[in-house]
Structures are given as C-alpha cells and as structure tokens.
Amino acid sequence: MKKILLILLLSVNIAAIAQDDQPGLKSRKWYIPDHLKLHFAGNIGFLSGGPGYVSNNKSLEIDLLFGFLPKKFGGDALVTISTKTTFSPWKIQLKNGYYIRPFSIGAFLSYTFGPQFDTKWPSYYPAGYYWWATSFRPGAFVGGKVGRNLVIKNQVRQFEFYYELGSYDLLMISYVQNREYLKLSDISNLSFGVKMAF
C-alpha cells in the first residue's frame, strides 16, 4: 500500500509543474487535471480511464489511469492503477483545427490489485529466486495522435484519438532470451484511446 501511495504522490508532484495555456483557464488550480483519457487495452486493463496533466509546451503528458479487465477476457477480474508518461515532440497543424502528432514515446508503471499478486515474494522462496514482483509491471510504447481543437462556449477544447504499440518488462526479457522462438508480434500489443482536454 505504501508503494501505491508513493506512486500517487509522485504523479501529483510531477503534475504540479504542468500548466494549461488555453485562453480563459489561467486561474485553474495546479491540482485540477488538464484532460481526461479513456484507454482500451495496453496491459493496463481492458478499459481504463482517468485524469492527466500536460506540460506548458503540450509535448509531455502524465496520466493516472484506473483499469479493469473482466473475468471473461483475463480469467480473473482484475483492477489496475497505472501512471503513464507520454512524450510527443512534434505537432503538425492541418486545416480546420485538425493536427497530428506523428510520433509519441512513453512509459508506464501499473499495479494490479488482488491476493494472487505479490509486491514481495513469499519467504518460502529462496532470496533472489525471482527478481520481479507480480503486482507491478513497467512497460514502454510508441505511437501517434490525431486531434482537433474546437471552440465550445468561448473555450478551446481539444479532442485527440491516439494509438500505441507497446510491451512490458517480462515480455521484452523473454524476447531477448528467446529470439529464435519469439517474434516482435508475440510480445507487443496495440491499444487505442481518446483524450478530452478541458
């Protein structure tokens, strides 16, 4: 539980540097999120969602997502909490308020709740027998975004659709150790999401 609290505090602390440069929203408090995301797949739940913060130049996003994997898809009904960071260095403005961010790169750390997941291996395993925790999963991804800015009630609202191709630590290590048997497609997953900025 202490580690979950640490993740939450770090997320809020990092978010404190984020500000929104949309007109009329300068008075927003630092702790109020800049956007909401709804995310499908990606090793953080069948469906996940939550608030996020964006940097001044809009290239760095930090999200806190709560996910759920139904029993019929995962064998167990799983609940996760994830912190996710996405860096999108380039923005190409198109017509009619549309734009694309052709390249994004990021990382996530997820925690899965449940008695079948351990943060620390039980004492009956020899020290160092397993080096990973089953409850925490770090991962990485690449992707892209397409979005549009709309003016609603004299406020700029941003809507984005994004995709990500990613994996997590255990799958990446399995690939490195078993390249003759595994392909990149065996360890990667495709996820999609939508973002609504306030």
Side-chain angles (χ1 to χ4, degrees):
M1 190 64 183
K2 289 180 182 177
K3 291 184 180 180
I4 297 171
L5 186 58
L6 178 63
I7 290 170
L8 290 173
L9 291 174
L10 285 174
S11 298
V12 171
N13 187 35
I14 292 169
I17 62 170
Q19 297 177 7
D20 200 316
D21 62 0
Q22 294 178 9
L25 296 180
K26 290 285 187 191
S27 62
R28 185 185 348 210
K29 302 290 186 186
W30 65 266
Y31 52 82
I32 297 176
D34 297 312
H35 60 261
L36 288 175
K37 282 188 178 177
L38 186 62
H39 191 91
F40 170 73
N43 297 311
I44 57 175
F46 177 77
L47 198 61
S48 58
Y53 301 85
V54 67
S55 64
N56 283 341
N57 64 4
K58 307 290 186 188
S59 62
L60 182 67
E61 294 175 2
I62 310 236
D63 304 302
L64 180 63
L65 303 175
F66 301 89
F68 179 71
L69 177 67
K71 186 174 182 178
K72 72 178 202 176
F73 296 122
D76 282 322
L78 303 178
V79 175
T80 61
I81 183 171
S82 306
T83 56
K84 189 166 168 273
T85 302
T86 308
F87 179 62
S88 306
W90 304 293
K91 179 178 178 181
I92 300 170
Q93 196 66 47
L94 305 174
K95 295 180 180 178
N96 300 322
Y98 287 95
Y99 62 88
I100 59 171
R101 290 188 179 269
F103 175 75
S104 296
I105 188 168
F108 67 87
L109 177 65
S110 69
Y111 177 84
T112 305
F113 296 91
Q116 69 271 46
F117 297 100
D118 294 302
T119 301
K120 183 177 177 184
W121 282 96
S123 59
Y124 51 79
Y125 289 105
Y129 189 76
Y130 292 112
W131 56 265
W132 67 87
T134 56
S135 56
F136 284 99
R137 285 280 63 80
F141 56 88
V142 296
K145 307 175 183 182
V146 60
R148 185 174 187 197
N149 293 324
L150 297 173
V151 178
I152 301 172
K153 295 183 179 178
N154 297 322
Q155 297 289 333
V156 176
R157 298 285 186 251
Q158 182 186 74
F159 295 89
E160 281 184 353
F161 169 80
Y162 62 90
Y163 74 91
E164 294 169 354
L165 186 65
S167 189
Y168 59 88
D169 61 334
L170 295 180
L171 290 179
M172 292 183 216
I173 291 168
S174 293
Y175 175 74
V176 169
Q177 294 174 341
N178 302 285
R179 271 189 239 178
E180 60 273 13
Y181 304 110
L182 294 176
K183 299 178 285 194
L184 283 174
S185 60
D186 295 325
I187 67 160
S188 57
N189 62 78
L190 184 62
S191 60
F192 302 94
V194 290
K195 178 182 104 172
M196 182 186 76
F198 305 127

